[in-house]
mmCIF file of all heavy atoms in Angstrom:
data_model
loop_
_atom_site.group_PDB
_atom_site.id
_atom_site.type_symbol
_atom_site.label_atom_id
_atom_site.label_comp_id
_atom_site.label_asym_id
_atom_site.label_seq_id
_atom_site.Cartn_x
_atom_site.Cartn_y
_atom_site.Cartn_z
ATOM 1 N N VAL A 98 3.531 0.708 -10.278
ATOM 2 C CA VAL A 98 4.298 0.345 -11.473
ATOM 3 C C VAL A 98 3.376 0.338 -12.689
ATOM 4 O O VAL A 98 2.280 -0.223 -12.647
ATOM 5 C CB VAL A 98 4.960 -1.035 -11.291
ATOM 6 C CG1 VAL A 98 5.541 -1.542 -12.611
ATOM 7 C CG2 VAL A 98 6.053 -0.957 -10.236
ATOM 8 N N ASN A 99 3.837 0.974 -13.759
ATOM 9 C CA ASN A 99 3.135 0.990 -15.040
ATOM 10 C C ASN A 99 3.910 0.119 -16.024
ATOM 11 O O ASN A 99 5.063 0.386 -16.332
ATOM 12 C CB ASN A 99 3.042 2.426 -15.566
ATOM 13 C CG ASN A 99 2.264 2.543 -16.870
ATOM 14 O OD1 ASN A 99 2.298 1.665 -17.713
ATOM 15 N ND2 ASN A 99 1.567 3.668 -17.035
ATOM 16 N N LYS A 100 3.245 -0.934 -16.494
ATOM 17 C CA LYS A 100 3.823 -1.782 -17.535
ATOM 18 C C LYS A 100 2.833 -1.823 -18.697
ATOM 19 O O LYS A 100 1.733 -2.374 -18.565
ATOM 20 C CB LYS A 100 4.081 -3.189 -16.986
ATOM 21 C CG LYS A 100 4.604 -4.195 -18.014
ATOM 22 C CD LYS A 100 6.031 -3.902 -18.451
ATOM 23 C CE LYS A 100 6.545 -5.050 -19.339
ATOM 24 N NZ LYS A 100 7.926 -4.817 -19.797
ATOM 25 N N LYS A 101 3.212 -1.183 -19.789
ATOM 26 C CA LYS A 101 2.371 -1.148 -21.001
ATOM 27 C C LYS A 101 0.967 -0.613 -20.708
ATOM 28 O O LYS A 101 -0.028 -1.098 -21.242
ATOM 29 C CB LYS A 101 2.289 -2.535 -21.635
ATOM 30 C CG LYS A 101 3.633 -3.080 -22.104
ATOM 31 C CD LYS A 101 3.501 -4.498 -22.635
ATOM 32 C CE LYS A 101 4.865 -5.074 -23.014
ATOM 33 N NZ LYS A 101 4.782 -6.521 -23.348
ATOM 34 N N GLY A 102 0.899 0.384 -19.824
ATOM 35 C CA GLY A 102 -0.374 1.056 -19.564
ATOM 36 C C GLY A 102 -1.225 0.431 -18.474
ATOM 37 O O GLY A 102 -2.292 0.954 -18.154
ATOM 38 N N TRP A 103 -0.763 -0.673 -17.887
ATOM 39 C CA TRP A 103 -1.506 -1.331 -16.808
ATOM 40 C C TRP A 103 -0.735 -1.190 -15.506
ATOM 41 O O TRP A 103 0.496 -1.311 -15.481
ATOM 42 C CB TRP A 103 -1.769 -2.797 -17.158
ATOM 43 C CG TRP A 103 -2.738 -2.888 -18.297
ATOM 44 C CD1 TRP A 103 -2.436 -2.902 -19.631
ATOM 45 C CD2 TRP A 103 -4.160 -2.892 -18.212
ATOM 46 N NE1 TRP A 103 -3.591 -2.937 -20.387
ATOM 47 C CE2 TRP A 103 -4.667 -2.937 -19.537
ATOM 48 C CE3 TRP A 103 -5.068 -2.882 -17.146
ATOM 49 C CZ2 TRP A 103 -6.027 -2.960 -19.823
ATOM 50 C CZ3 TRP A 103 -6.423 -2.911 -17.427
ATOM 51 C CH2 TRP A 103 -6.895 -2.945 -18.750
ATOM 52 N N LEU A 104 -1.462 -0.965 -14.413
ATOM 53 C CA LEU A 104 -0.856 -0.532 -13.155
ATOM 54 C C LEU A 104 -1.025 -1.564 -12.041
ATOM 55 O O LEU A 104 -2.041 -2.255 -11.961
ATOM 56 C CB LEU A 104 -1.491 0.786 -12.695
ATOM 57 C CG LEU A 104 -1.585 1.910 -13.717
ATOM 58 C CD1 LEU A 104 -2.244 3.135 -13.093
ATOM 59 C CD2 LEU A 104 -0.218 2.267 -14.284
ATOM 60 N N ALA A 105 -0.026 -1.596 -11.170
ATOM 61 C CA ALA A 105 -0.110 -2.349 -9.914
ATOM 62 C C ALA A 105 0.497 -1.484 -8.816
ATOM 63 O O ALA A 105 1.408 -0.697 -9.058
ATOM 64 C CB ALA A 105 0.626 -3.680 -10.022
ATOM 65 N N ASP A 106 -0.011 -1.650 -7.598
ATOM 66 C CA ASP A 106 0.296 -0.753 -6.476
ATOM 67 C C ASP A 106 0.583 -1.606 -5.248
ATOM 68 O O ASP A 106 -0.183 -2.520 -4.923
ATOM 69 C CB ASP A 106 -0.951 0.125 -6.252
ATOM 70 C CG ASP A 106 -0.754 1.249 -5.247
ATOM 71 O OD1 ASP A 106 0.341 1.378 -4.682
ATOM 72 O OD2 ASP A 106 -1.728 1.998 -5.033
ATOM 73 N N SER A 107 1.691 -1.336 -4.579
ATOM 74 C CA SER A 107 2.006 -2.077 -3.350
ATOM 75 C C SER A 107 2.922 -1.249 -2.465
ATOM 76 O O SER A 107 3.835 -0.584 -2.950
ATOM 77 C CB SER A 107 2.685 -3.411 -3.681
ATOM 78 O OG SER A 107 3.058 -4.111 -2.516
ATOM 79 N N ALA A 108 2.643 -1.310 -1.171
ATOM 80 C CA ALA A 108 3.497 -0.664 -0.161
ATOM 81 C C ALA A 108 3.927 -1.717 0.847
ATOM 82 O O ALA A 108 3.185 -2.669 1.128
ATOM 83 C CB ALA A 108 2.737 0.456 0.541
ATOM 84 N N TRP A 109 5.115 -1.513 1.409
ATOM 85 C CA TRP A 109 5.591 -2.429 2.448
ATOM 86 C C TRP A 109 6.376 -1.631 3.470
ATOM 87 O O TRP A 109 7.131 -0.727 3.109
ATOM 88 C CB TRP A 109 6.470 -3.526 1.837
ATOM 89 C CG TRP A 109 6.298 -4.847 2.526
ATOM 90 C CD1 TRP A 109 7.176 -5.464 3.365
ATOM 91 C CD2 TRP A 109 5.167 -5.716 2.414
ATOM 92 N NE1 TRP A 109 6.659 -6.667 3.786
ATOM 93 C CE2 TRP A 109 5.423 -6.850 3.227
ATOM 94 C CE3 TRP A 109 3.949 -5.647 1.731
ATOM 95 C CZ2 TRP A 109 4.514 -7.899 3.367
ATOM 96 C CZ3 TRP A 109 3.048 -6.691 1.861
ATOM 97 C CH2 TRP A 109 3.329 -7.793 2.664
ATOM 98 N N SER A 110 6.170 -1.957 4.735
ATOM 99 C CA SER A 110 6.931 -1.316 5.812
ATOM 100 C C SER A 110 8.085 -2.230 6.211
ATOM 101 O O SER A 110 7.876 -3.420 6.478
ATOM 102 C CB SER A 110 6.033 -1.039 7.018
ATOM 103 O OG SER A 110 5.124 -0.003 6.727
ATOM 104 N N TYR A 111 9.281 -1.649 6.233
ATOM 105 C CA TYR A 111 10.498 -2.408 6.498
ATOM 106 C C TYR A 111 11.107 -2.020 7.839
ATOM 107 O O TYR A 111 11.114 -0.851 8.217
ATOM 108 C CB TYR A 111 11.535 -2.131 5.401
ATOM 109 C CG TYR A 111 11.132 -2.630 4.039
ATOM 110 C CD1 TYR A 111 10.532 -1.783 3.110
ATOM 111 C CD2 TYR A 111 11.349 -3.958 3.676
ATOM 112 C CE1 TYR A 111 10.163 -2.245 1.854
ATOM 113 C CE2 TYR A 111 10.977 -4.423 2.418
ATOM 114 C CZ TYR A 111 10.385 -3.567 1.515
ATOM 115 O OH TYR A 111 10.014 -4.020 0.276
ATOM 116 N N ARG A 112 11.646 -3.020 8.521
ATOM 117 C CA ARG A 112 12.437 -2.793 9.733
ATOM 118 C C ARG A 112 13.858 -2.432 9.322
ATOM 119 O O ARG A 112 14.442 -3.112 8.476
ATOM 120 C CB ARG A 112 12.464 -4.058 10.588
ATOM 121 C CG ARG A 112 11.096 -4.537 11.056
ATOM 122 C CD ARG A 112 11.125 -6.032 11.390
ATOM 123 N NE ARG A 112 9.835 -6.502 11.872
ATOM 124 C CZ ARG A 112 8.816 -6.852 11.092
ATOM 125 N NH1 ARG A 112 8.923 -6.787 9.769
ATOM 126 N NH2 ARG A 112 7.690 -7.286 11.625
ATOM 127 N N VAL A 113 14.411 -1.405 9.931
ATOM 128 C CA VAL A 113 15.818 -1.078 9.712
ATOM 129 C C VAL A 113 16.595 -1.691 10.863
ATOM 130 O O VAL A 113 16.591 -1.183 11.984
ATOM 131 C CB VAL A 113 16.043 0.450 9.629
ATOM 132 C CG1 VAL A 113 17.517 0.740 9.326
ATOM 133 C CG2 VAL A 113 15.138 1.070 8.574
ATOM 134 N N GLY A 114 17.224 -2.841 10.611
ATOM 135 C CA GLY A 114 17.824 -3.606 11.698
ATOM 136 C C GLY A 114 16.735 -4.088 12.646
ATOM 137 O O GLY A 114 15.593 -4.323 12.246
ATOM 138 N N GLU A 115 17.075 -4.220 13.892
ATOM 139 C CA GLU A 115 16.082 -4.638 14.895
ATOM 140 C C GLU A 115 15.283 -3.425 15.342
ATOM 141 O O GLU A 115 15.840 -2.349 15.534
ATOM 142 C CB GLU A 115 16.777 -5.272 16.108
ATOM 143 C CG GLU A 115 17.245 -6.690 15.880
ATOM 144 C CD GLU A 115 17.817 -7.298 17.158
ATOM 145 O OE1 GLU A 115 17.331 -6.961 18.260
ATOM 146 O OE2 GLU A 115 18.755 -8.097 17.040
ATOM 147 N N VAL A 116 13.979 -3.617 15.527
ATOM 148 C CA VAL A 116 13.124 -2.540 16.026
ATOM 149 C C VAL A 116 12.635 -2.901 17.419
ATOM 150 O O VAL A 116 12.701 -4.051 17.838
ATOM 151 C CB VAL A 116 11.932 -2.280 15.076
ATOM 152 C CG1 VAL A 116 12.424 -1.874 13.692
ATOM 153 C CG2 VAL A 116 11.009 -3.491 14.985
ATOM 154 N N GLY A 117 12.114 -1.900 18.122
ATOM 155 C CA GLY A 117 11.635 -2.112 19.482
ATOM 156 C C GLY A 117 10.332 -2.903 19.514
ATOM 157 O O GLY A 117 9.672 -3.090 18.483
ATOM 158 N N PRO A 118 9.936 -3.357 20.700
ATOM 159 C CA PRO A 118 8.730 -4.194 20.813
ATOM 160 C C PRO A 118 7.453 -3.492 20.366
ATOM 161 O O PRO A 118 6.571 -4.133 19.776
ATOM 162 C CB PRO A 118 8.681 -4.568 22.296
ATOM 163 C CG PRO A 118 9.631 -3.654 22.998
ATOM 164 C CD PRO A 118 10.637 -3.227 21.994
ATOM 165 N N GLN A 119 7.332 -2.200 20.616
ATOM 166 C CA GLN A 119 6.119 -1.495 20.181
ATOM 167 C C GLN A 119 6.061 -1.406 18.654
ATOM 168 O O GLN A 119 5.000 -1.605 18.047
ATOM 169 C CB GLN A 119 6.072 -0.099 20.798
ATOM 170 C CG GLN A 119 5.636 -0.085 22.253
ATOM 171 C CD GLN A 119 5.330 1.333 22.701
ATOM 172 O OE1 GLN A 119 6.165 2.231 22.584
ATOM 173 N NE2 GLN A 119 4.129 1.542 23.214
ATOM 174 N N ALA A 120 7.207 -1.100 18.042
ATOM 175 C CA ALA A 120 7.273 -1.052 16.580
ATOM 176 C C ALA A 120 6.953 -2.423 15.992
ATOM 177 O O ALA A 120 6.217 -2.535 15.005
ATOM 178 C CB ALA A 120 8.655 -0.580 16.130
ATOM 179 N N GLU A 121 7.472 -3.455 16.605
ATOM 180 C CA GLU A 121 7.219 -4.821 16.137
ATOM 181 C C GLU A 121 5.726 -5.153 16.223
ATOM 182 O O GLU A 121 5.148 -5.752 15.309
ATOM 183 C CB GLU A 121 8.044 -5.817 16.962
ATOM 184 C CG GLU A 121 8.076 -7.224 16.412
ATOM 185 C CD GLU A 121 8.777 -7.337 15.067
ATOM 186 O OE1 GLU A 121 9.787 -6.645 14.835
ATOM 187 O OE2 GLU A 121 8.277 -8.119 14.237
ATOM 188 N N HIS A 122 5.102 -4.746 17.310
ATOM 189 C CA HIS A 122 3.657 -4.956 17.497
ATOM 190 C C HIS A 122 2.864 -4.247 16.392
ATOM 191 O O HIS A 122 1.934 -4.819 15.807
ATOM 192 C CB HIS A 122 3.250 -4.425 18.884
ATOM 193 C CG HIS A 122 1.783 -4.457 19.151
ATOM 194 N ND1 HIS A 122 1.046 -5.621 19.157
ATOM 195 C CD2 HIS A 122 0.897 -3.459 19.442
ATOM 196 C CE1 HIS A 122 -0.223 -5.344 19.427
ATOM 197 N NE2 HIS A 122 -0.334 -4.035 19.606
ATOM 198 N N LEU A 123 3.248 -3.010 16.090
ATOM 199 C CA LEU A 123 2.573 -2.242 15.038
ATOM 200 C C LEU A 123 2.727 -2.914 13.675
ATOM 201 O O LEU A 123 1.750 -3.066 12.927
ATOM 202 C CB LEU A 123 3.153 -0.820 14.986
ATOM 203 C CG LEU A 123 2.678 0.058 13.820
ATOM 204 C CD1 LEU A 123 1.196 0.391 13.953
ATOM 205 C CD2 LEU A 123 3.513 1.340 13.749
ATOM 206 N N LEU A 124 3.944 -3.327 13.352
ATOM 207 C CA LEU A 124 4.212 -3.928 12.049
ATOM 208 C C LEU A 124 3.442 -5.236 11.877
ATOM 209 O O LEU A 124 2.796 -5.467 10.845
ATOM 210 C CB LEU A 124 5.711 -4.155 11.873
ATOM 211 C CG LEU A 124 6.549 -2.880 11.731
ATOM 212 C CD1 LEU A 124 8.025 -3.180 11.970
ATOM 213 C CD2 LEU A 124 6.360 -2.253 10.361
ATOM 214 N N LYS A 125 3.512 -6.079 12.886
ATOM 215 C CA LYS A 125 2.828 -7.376 12.783
ATOM 216 C C LYS A 125 1.315 -7.201 12.704
ATOM 217 O O LYS A 125 0.635 -7.916 11.956
ATOM 218 C CB LYS A 125 3.208 -8.263 13.977
ATOM 219 C CG LYS A 125 4.615 -8.835 13.859
ATOM 220 C CD LYS A 125 4.958 -9.757 15.021
ATOM 221 C CE LYS A 125 6.305 -10.430 14.781
ATOM 222 N NZ LYS A 125 6.762 -11.204 15.964
ATOM 223 N N THR A 126 0.791 -6.235 13.469
ATOM 224 C CA THR A 126 -0.651 -5.986 13.448
ATOM 225 C C THR A 126 -1.105 -5.484 12.086
ATOM 226 O O THR A 126 -2.130 -5.927 11.544
ATOM 227 C CB THR A 126 -1.037 -4.968 14.543
ATOM 228 O OG1 THR A 126 -0.680 -5.492 15.819
ATOM 229 C CG2 THR A 126 -2.524 -4.660 14.520
ATOM 230 N N THR A 127 -0.348 -4.557 11.508
ATOM 231 C CA THR A 127 -0.745 -3.971 10.220
ATOM 232 C C THR A 127 -0.681 -5.008 9.111
ATOM 233 O O THR A 127 -1.591 -5.095 8.270
ATOM 234 C CB THR A 127 0.143 -2.755 9.887
ATOM 235 O OG1 THR A 127 0.249 -1.898 11.033
ATOM 236 C CG2 THR A 127 -0.435 -1.949 8.740
ATOM 237 N N GLU A 128 0.354 -5.827 9.108
ATOM 238 C CA GLU A 128 0.455 -6.887 8.095
ATOM 239 C C GLU A 128 -0.662 -7.920 8.284
ATOM 240 O O GLU A 128 -1.277 -8.378 7.306
ATOM 241 C CB GLU A 128 1.829 -7.560 8.159
ATOM 242 C CG GLU A 128 2.051 -8.526 7.019
ATOM 243 C CD GLU A 128 3.458 -9.131 6.997
ATOM 244 O OE1 GLU A 128 4.307 -8.743 7.825
ATOM 245 O OE2 GLU A 128 3.684 -10.004 6.143
ATOM 246 N N LYS A 129 -0.950 -8.270 9.533
ATOM 247 C CA LYS A 129 -2.052 -9.204 9.807
ATOM 248 C C LYS A 129 -3.380 -8.652 9.289
ATOM 249 O O LYS A 129 -4.197 -9.381 8.710
ATOM 250 C CB LYS A 129 -2.138 -9.452 11.322
ATOM 251 C CG LYS A 129 -3.255 -10.394 11.743
ATOM 252 C CD LYS A 129 -3.296 -10.550 13.263
ATOM 253 C CE LYS A 129 -4.476 -11.410 13.710
ATOM 254 N NZ LYS A 129 -4.523 -11.520 15.194
ATOM 255 N N ALA A 130 -3.590 -7.354 9.476
ATOM 256 C CA ALA A 130 -4.839 -6.722 9.024
ATOM 257 C C ALA A 130 -4.960 -6.774 7.506
ATOM 258 O O ALA A 130 -6.066 -6.961 6.964
ATOM 259 C CB ALA A 130 -4.896 -5.279 9.509
ATOM 260 N N LEU A 131 -3.841 -6.600 6.794
ATOM 261 C CA LEU A 131 -3.859 -6.695 5.334
ATOM 262 C C LEU A 131 -4.427 -8.046 4.901
ATOM 263 O O LEU A 131 -5.331 -8.125 4.058
ATOM 264 C CB LEU A 131 -2.441 -6.507 4.782
ATOM 265 C CG LEU A 131 -2.244 -6.844 3.296
ATOM 266 C CD1 LEU A 131 -3.071 -5.935 2.398
ATOM 267 C CD2 LEU A 131 -0.769 -6.773 2.908
ATOM 268 N N PHE A 132 -3.913 -9.114 5.490
ATOM 269 C CA PHE A 132 -4.338 -10.440 5.061
ATOM 270 C C PHE A 132 -5.738 -10.792 5.578
ATOM 271 O O PHE A 132 -6.463 -11.547 4.913
ATOM 272 C CB PHE A 132 -3.281 -11.478 5.443
ATOM 273 C CG PHE A 132 -2.050 -11.344 4.584
ATOM 274 C CD1 PHE A 132 -0.920 -10.684 5.055
ATOM 275 C CD2 PHE A 132 -2.048 -11.821 3.285
ATOM 276 C CE1 PHE A 132 0.197 -10.521 4.242
ATOM 277 C CE2 PHE A 132 -0.931 -11.667 2.469
ATOM 278 C CZ PHE A 132 0.185 -11.022 2.944
ATOM 279 N N ALA A 133 -6.144 -10.184 6.693
ATOM 280 C CA ALA A 133 -7.530 -10.351 7.150
ATOM 281 C C ALA A 133 -8.481 -9.718 6.133
ATOM 282 O O ALA A 133 -9.534 -10.286 5.804
ATOM 283 C CB ALA A 133 -7.718 -9.718 8.527
ATOM 284 N N GLY A 134 -8.113 -8.551 5.626
ATOM 285 C CA GLY A 134 -8.926 -7.889 4.610
ATOM 286 C C GLY A 134 -8.980 -8.685 3.314
ATOM 287 O O GLY A 134 -10.055 -8.865 2.724
ATOM 288 N N ILE A 135 -7.828 -9.182 2.887
ATOM 289 C CA ILE A 135 -7.776 -9.980 1.652
ATOM 290 C C ILE A 135 -8.668 -11.216 1.778
ATOM 291 O O ILE A 135 -9.347 -11.613 0.828
ATOM 292 C CB ILE A 135 -6.324 -10.365 1.322
ATOM 293 C CG1 ILE A 135 -5.521 -9.114 0.905
ATOM 294 C CG2 ILE A 135 -6.260 -11.422 0.215
ATOM 295 C CD1 ILE A 135 -4.025 -9.328 0.793
ATOM 296 N N GLY A 136 -8.699 -11.798 2.971
ATOM 297 C CA GLY A 136 -9.516 -12.984 3.199
ATOM 298 C C GLY A 136 -11.007 -12.755 3.027
ATOM 299 O O GLY A 136 -11.772 -13.706 2.827
ATOM 300 N N GLN A 137 -11.428 -11.496 3.080
ATOM 301 C CA GLN A 137 -12.847 -11.152 2.897
ATOM 302 C C GLN A 137 -13.170 -10.692 1.470
ATOM 303 O O GLN A 137 -14.318 -10.366 1.171
ATOM 304 C CB GLN A 137 -13.245 -10.057 3.891
ATOM 305 C CG GLN A 137 -13.279 -10.525 5.340
ATOM 306 C CD GLN A 137 -14.281 -11.645 5.561
ATOM 307 O OE1 GLN A 137 -15.423 -11.558 5.135
ATOM 308 N NE2 GLN A 137 -13.834 -12.707 6.221
ATOM 309 N N ALA A 138 -12.152 -10.681 0.598
ATOM 310 C CA ALA A 138 -12.352 -10.194 -0.776
ATOM 311 C C ALA A 138 -12.913 -11.320 -1.646
ATOM 312 O O ALA A 138 -12.274 -11.803 -2.584
ATOM 313 C CB ALA A 138 -11.041 -9.652 -1.338
ATOM 314 N N LEU A 139 -14.128 -11.729 -1.318
ATOM 315 C CA LEU A 139 -14.780 -12.871 -1.950
ATOM 316 C C LEU A 139 -15.988 -12.408 -2.757
ATOM 317 O O LEU A 139 -16.705 -11.497 -2.328
ATOM 318 C CB LEU A 139 -15.248 -13.865 -0.880
ATOM 319 C CG LEU A 139 -14.162 -14.417 0.049
ATOM 320 C CD1 LEU A 139 -14.792 -15.059 1.275
ATOM 321 C CD2 LEU A 139 -13.301 -15.430 -0.710
ATOM 322 N N PRO A 140 -16.256 -13.016 -3.892
ATOM 323 C CA PRO A 140 -17.459 -12.660 -4.644
ATOM 324 C C PRO A 140 -18.700 -12.800 -3.772
ATOM 325 O O PRO A 140 -18.848 -13.794 -3.042
ATOM 326 C CB PRO A 140 -17.484 -13.685 -5.789
ATOM 327 C CG PRO A 140 -16.092 -14.167 -5.914
ATOM 328 C CD PRO A 140 -15.505 -14.113 -4.534
ATOM 329 N N GLY A 141 -19.565 -11.799 -3.817
ATOM 330 C CA GLY A 141 -20.784 -11.825 -3.010
ATOM 331 C C GLY A 141 -20.643 -11.069 -1.697
ATOM 332 O O GLY A 141 -21.644 -10.624 -1.130
#
Side-chain angles (χ1 to χ4, degrees):
V98 169
N99 183 326
K100 176 70 173 180
K101 298 176 184 172
W103 292 89
L104 310 180
D106 188 359
S107 177
W109 215 253
S110 289
Y111 294 96
R112 300 157 179 83
V113 183
E115 283 185 33
V116 300
Q119 282 192 305
E121 191 65 37
H122 174 61
L123 173 67
L124 291 163
K125 285 182 173 173
T126 300
T127 313
E128 188 175 356
K129 179 182 176 182
L131 169 63
F132 288 100
I135 291 170
Q137 291 299 312
L139 302 164

